[in-house]
Amino acid sequence: TTGTLNTAVGTGSLAANTTANYNTAVGTSALAANTTGESNTAVGTSALAANTTANFNTAIGRSALAVNTTGYENLADGAYALASNTTGSLNTAVGISSLTSNTTASNNTALGNNALGANTTADNNTAVGKSALAANTTASNNTAVGFQSLQANTTGAYNVAVGALAGDALTDGDYNTASGYLALSADTSGNNSVAIGAFTLRDQNFTSATDTYNVAVGYNAGGDVTTGVENTLIGGLSGDSLTEGSNNT
């Protein structure tokens, strides 16, 4: 009614706008429910369609931020990016279906198709790479950089994985650091492991919560360790025949 400096292109775009200003809506039903939310940009069918009072959101792609109501300062670029978000704020999702299941969680960054795709209520996660942290649901404070890194993680928190397939089997382990191709790639539930280098601790696998305190640094260091704990292995191929032993240096 009294809103100014708005742009609407497409059937039903900005249809409910009353007093809001500085909005741009391009596409059928883009920003359709917006009433007083300002400075939003929606490009694509149903982009930001349910937004009512939230400000400073950007949605590019079909159904991007489609059900967002009051979540603010979100960026969604890609079809279905942040599609389920309602009140979560300060999220960045770039890639098809990135953060697509996110509802109320905030401060997440997902770059890559399906990155953090299953995340619902977990905060403060960063996923860069296709399917990075794809299965994460409620775990917070994880960082995954690389193709399918930490892809199976669901409830494990405070993990860092850098490299393609790094930590890709972890589901509920906490406080792990894996850096390098296939580093710590078999473990599901181990905690407090450090694997730096390609193939480091690649065979370690604890199927129930276990504080491992294993440290492996160097190409394939500790690569054959399965259930050994409290090992410190420094240098390429160090501990290359160690499987179940513990307290080795």
Side-chain angles (χ1 to χ4, degrees), residues 26-32 41-51 57-69 74-86 93 95-102:
V26 179
T28 300
S29 299
L31 276 166
T41 300
V43 179
T45 300
S46 298
L48 275 166
N51 198 79
N57 290 295
T58 299
I60 302 172
R62 179 180 178 183
S63 297
L65 278 165
V67 297
N68 193 76
T69 53
N74 293 295
L75 167 62
D77 185 352
Y80 304 106
L82 277 166
S84 302
N85 197 76
T86 53
I96 295 172
S97 296
S98 55
L99 274 167
T100 190
S101 299
N102 199 81

Side-chain angles (χ1 to χ4, degrees), residues 146-159:
F147 172 74
Q148 294 185 353
S149 55
L150 285 174
Q151 67 167 339
N153 193 75
T154 53
T155 58
Y158 305 100
N159 294 296

Side-chain angles (χ1 to χ4, degrees), residues 11-178:
T11 303
S13 58
L14 274 171
N17 199 75
T18 54
T19 60
N21 307 313
Y22 311 111
N23 292 295
T24 300
V26 179
T28 300
S29 299
L31 276 166
N34 196 74
T35 52
T36 60
E38 298 196 344
S39 301
N40 295 293
T41 300
V43 179
T45 300
S46 298
L48 275 166
N51 198 79
T52 53
T53 60
N55 304 322
F56 302 108
N57 290 295
T58 299
I60 302 172
R62 179 180 178 183
S63 297
L65 278 165
V67 297
N68 193 76
T69 53
T70 58
Y72 58 88
E73 295 181 30
N74 293 295
L75 167 62
D77 185 352
Y80 304 106
L82 277 166
S84 302
N85 197 76
T86 53
T87 60
S89 300
L90 301 165
N91 294 295
T92 299
V94 179
I96 295 172
S97 296
S98 55
L99 274 167
T100 190
S101 299
N102 199 81
T103 53
T104 60
S106 299
N107 300 305
N108 292 296
T109 299
L111 306 178
N113 289 358
N114 202 38
L116 276 166
N119 197 76
T120 53
T121 58
D123 303 320
N124 308 318
N125 292 295
T126 299
V128 180
K130 183 181 184 295
S131 297
L133 276 167
N136 198 79
T137 53
T138 59
S140 299
N141 301 297
N142 291 295
T143 299
V145 179
F147 172 74
Q148 294 185 353
S149 55
L150 285 174
Q151 67 167 339
N153 193 75
T154 53
T155 58
Y158 305 100
N159 294 296
V160 176
V162 179
L165 302 173
D168 64 318
L170 277 171
T171 56
D172 53 2
D174 301 323
Y175 299 103
N176 294 292
T177 299

